[in-house]
Amino acid sequence: MTHAPPGYVCSEDGTRADVRTAPWGCPLCGGPWDLDFTPDPDAVLEPSAGPNSLWRYGPVLPLPGAFSISLAEGHTPLIPLGERIHAKLDYLMPTLSFKDRGAVMLVELARRLAPQRVVADSSGNAGTSVAAYCARAGLDCEIFVPEGTSEKKTEQMRAHGAVVRVVPGGREAAALAARKEADAPGVFYASHVFNPYFLHGTKTYVYEVWEEMGRRLPEALVVPVGNGTLLLGAALATQELARRGVRPPALIAVQSEAVAPLAEAFAAGADDAAPVEQRPTLAEGIAIPAPPRARQILAAVRASGGTFVTVPDARLREAQRDLARRGFFVEPTAAACWAAVSPTSPTDPLQGRTAVIPLCGAGAKTGLAP
């Protein structure tokens, strides 16, 4: 018997919807969906017995039954990067970014819903991931990107067979164009921000850290934050693992100093973030002036006992080069966490704690920051 995937629920007003018929966002408040799904903490979780992909965590993932979409994503190396810091090399994923974790979940869901086409918006990495997995699934795909998106990333999308729509303006303009298209019949909106299945893919990052560290977690997880998809996935995983008796870490969120609405809201003690100006920054992947899940991100960081850190472009540039000299060539956005916690950082958000940072995007996608 085929079971329906878990449904959506709005955290703001409690609206519920079936994934097979739901609009892309809550029809009452217009906000992003959460998922009506909580894994059984008593379910046997033996990832080493599963496939060599993130589907090894099947007992805690929301899609029931057999999966068919995979590029052997996940299970990326955890490498020492200092006395108390490890780096998780998610830039070694199939499309060279951590976004594959969420994209494989979205596209597996889309495959089951059988839309006429898949639409997404992205500043680069999420779009390349969705395009690749749609190619794997045989689904038509259209990606909306803001002008100025890295040509290497749009070339990758087109290579996977996606139609790329370049939208004048910034990241929000591309999102609005995609959402307008998402209202058309037969369209599945593979939004890495509005669709919570993406977050249940990114949470596997933390499950892998837990597995690789001998079924424990570090004292802190340092995460770059724009729309917050990795941080919110990490929060889901730490909550789920806490029910299994695993001590949860503090979540340390890193933003670009140029575009830091969440860090500013956190410092002010606010529950939500006011939009900020879209300013240029090397960390284009986290330059989000109005994150739709701001309230959830702020609440998750506070609940964990964590904090926010901002880094200027000069530190990003220095951190990217320092990582390269250590053997890790990542894009500037992926260097943000090292910029925040490296020994040369002007602040010490770790305060002696053990930590894991993600190296989430390959430098081959952008080159070295000028």
Side-chain angles (χ1 to χ4, degrees):
M1 184 174 71
T2 301
H3 297 279
Y8 299 136
V9 59
C10 177
S11 63
E12 293 295 323
D13 54 42
T15 299
R16 293 178 180 272
D18 188 313
V19 296
R20 296 167 294 187
T21 57
W24 54 264
C26 175
L28 292 185
C29 70
W33 291 113
D34 286 336
L35 204 59
D36 188 12
F37 172 74
T38 302
D40 179 359
D42 296 321
V44 175
L45 185 57
E46 293 292 345
S48 60
N52 187 30
S53 72
L54 60 76
W55 296 109
R56 65 202 281 117
Y57 303 104
V60 298
L61 297 178
L63 289 173
F67 68 90
S68 69
I69 305 303
S70 180
L71 290 167
E73 58 289 321
H75 212 43
T76 56
L78 191 66
I79 305 294
L81 187 61
E83 187 176 347
R84 299 172 65 82
I85 303 173
H86 280 73
K88 188 150 173 62
L89 311 190
D90 261 24
Y91 71 93
L92 299 181
M93 296 283 273
T95 77
L96 309 182
S97 92
F98 86 95
K99 296 289 177 65
D100 290 357
R101 296 185 182 278
V104 68
M105 293 290 291
L106 285 184
V107 175
E108 174 65 21
L109 175 62
R111 183 193 68 81
R112 298 182 186 198
L113 298 178
Q116 295 174 11
R117 59 193 171 109
V118 173
V119 165
D121 57 271
S122 170
S123 60
N125 284 334
T128 60
S129 290
V130 170
Y133 283 95
C134 281
R136 187 70 172 167
L139 294 170
D140 290 338
C141 178
E142 190 172 0
I143 311 291
F144 290 79
V145 302
E147 58 185 354
T149 298
S150 164
E151 290 185 8
K152 292 183 179 180
K153 294 180 181 180
T154 55
E155 182 181 18
Q156 187 179 358
M157 295 174 204
R158 293 188 178 98
H160 290 310
V163 175
V164 177
R165 307 290 188 195
V166 179
V167 180
R171 181 67 183 81
E172 186 60 21
L176 291 173
R179 291 170 202 164
K180 182 178 179 181
E181 196 69 19
D183 290 327
V187 172
F188 177 81
Y189 182 31
S191 172
H192 59 290
V193 181
F194 278 75
N195 194 304
Y197 277 86
F198 194 93
L199 305 181
H200 283 267
T202 61
K203 78 180 182 185
T204 60
Y205 169 84
V206 172
Y207 276 96
E208 287 181 18
V209 171
W210 165 79
E211 181 184 356
E212 289 162 327
M213 296 189 74
R215 294 183 173 242
R216 62 182 179 86
L217 291 173
E219 295 167 302
L221 288 170
V222 187
V223 186
V225 177
N227 276 311
T229 55
L230 183 55
L231 183 137
L232 291 173
L236 279 171
T238 56
Q239 292 163 12
E240 293 169 7
L241 285 167
R243 299 185 192 109
R244 293 175 177 263
V246 180
R247 186 181 66 176
L251 299 176
I252 298 177
V254 182
Q255 293 212 283
S256 165
E257 189 177 90
V259 184
L262 295 160
E264 292 173 16
F266 185 87
D271 293 331
D272 204 350
V276 299
E277 182 185 351
Q278 179 78 72
R279 292 195 288 263
T281 174
L282 294 175
E284 60 179 7
I286 54 174
I288 308 298
R293 293 187 183 270
R295 294 177 67 88
Q296 292 177 311
I297 297 165
L298 291 164
V301 173
R302 289 193 175 106
S304 77
T307 190
F308 274 83
V309 181
T310 61
V311 291
D313 273 11
R315 289 283 302 148
L316 286 166
R317 188 180 291 108
E318 178 186 334
Q320 187 194 26
R321 283 166 167 74
D322 183 53
L323 286 168
R325 288 191 293 268
R326 294 167 185 261
F328 310 104
F329 187 36
V330 300
E331 61 184 349
T333 299
C337 291
W338 186 235
V341 302
S342 75
T344 59
S345 174
T347 61
D348 181 20
L350 294 182
Q351 299 179 335
R353 290 174 290 190
T354 58
V356 171
I357 69 171
L359 299 182
C360 0
K365 290 191 168 196
T366 59
L368 203 61

